[in-house]
Amino acid sequence: MKADAVRGHLDGLLLAVLEPGPLHGYAIITAVQRRSGGALELRTGTIYPALNRLERLGLLSSSWESAAGERRRRAYELTDAGRATLAGERAAWSEFTAAIGAVLNPGPQTAGGTQPGLAT
């Protein structure tokens, strides 16, 4: 999938994969890839600046964690503001996909050549 397709939606993707709970950077990349069926492969150079920006905006919080035998890593999680922003991102995405879908896949036309419910 083209990188341009993700641009503008990266924040929503990151917030969505963090909704279930805290994850570190590599786990975020893996979650996006898994959820997209492999279609989306984010790079560390893309997500870390975005995660830092989302944290500065108060949408994420982070803490250092270490597992037995592993180096320390930063785990990110949603704040209440992040959950509210995610809800807004989902609503905006629904509106966007409905509008694009109406253009790319128009429904049945009425006798006057217009779609039901649309004024000409």
Side-chain angles (χ1 to χ4, degrees):
M1 185 165 290
K2 296 178 184 174
D4 287 347
V6 175
R7 190 171 294 130
H9 304 291
L10 180 60
D11 291 359
L13 295 172
L14 296 176
L15 295 173
V17 298
L18 288 167
E19 185 177 31
L23 294 173
H24 58 84
Y26 182 74
I28 293 168
I29 292 170
T30 303
V32 170
Q33 188 174 17
R34 182 179 38 79
R35 284 193 188 186
S36 70
L40 300 175
E41 292 185 29
L42 302 179
R43 299 179 190 274
T44 57
T46 301
I47 69 150
Y48 284 109
L51 291 169
N52 290 332
R53 182 177 41 76
L54 293 171
E55 187 171 18
R56 280 192 312 275
L57 292 171
L59 305 180
L60 299 179
S61 63
S62 68
S63 60
W64 288 99
E65 65 176 30
S66 57
E70 293 184 17
R71 63 185 176 104
R72 290 179 44 171
R73 56 191 178 190
R74 193 179 268 317
Y76 298 87
E77 65 181 317
L78 290 180
T79 62
D80 289 340
R83 290 184 191 288
T85 299
L86 176 57
E89 290 279 339
R90 285 184 168 137
W93 177 253
S94 292
E95 290 175 19
F96 176 76
T97 57
I100 297 298
V103 174
L104 293 177
N105 300 311
Q109 301 289 316
T110 61
T114 61
Q115 292 184 14
L118 297 179
T120 56

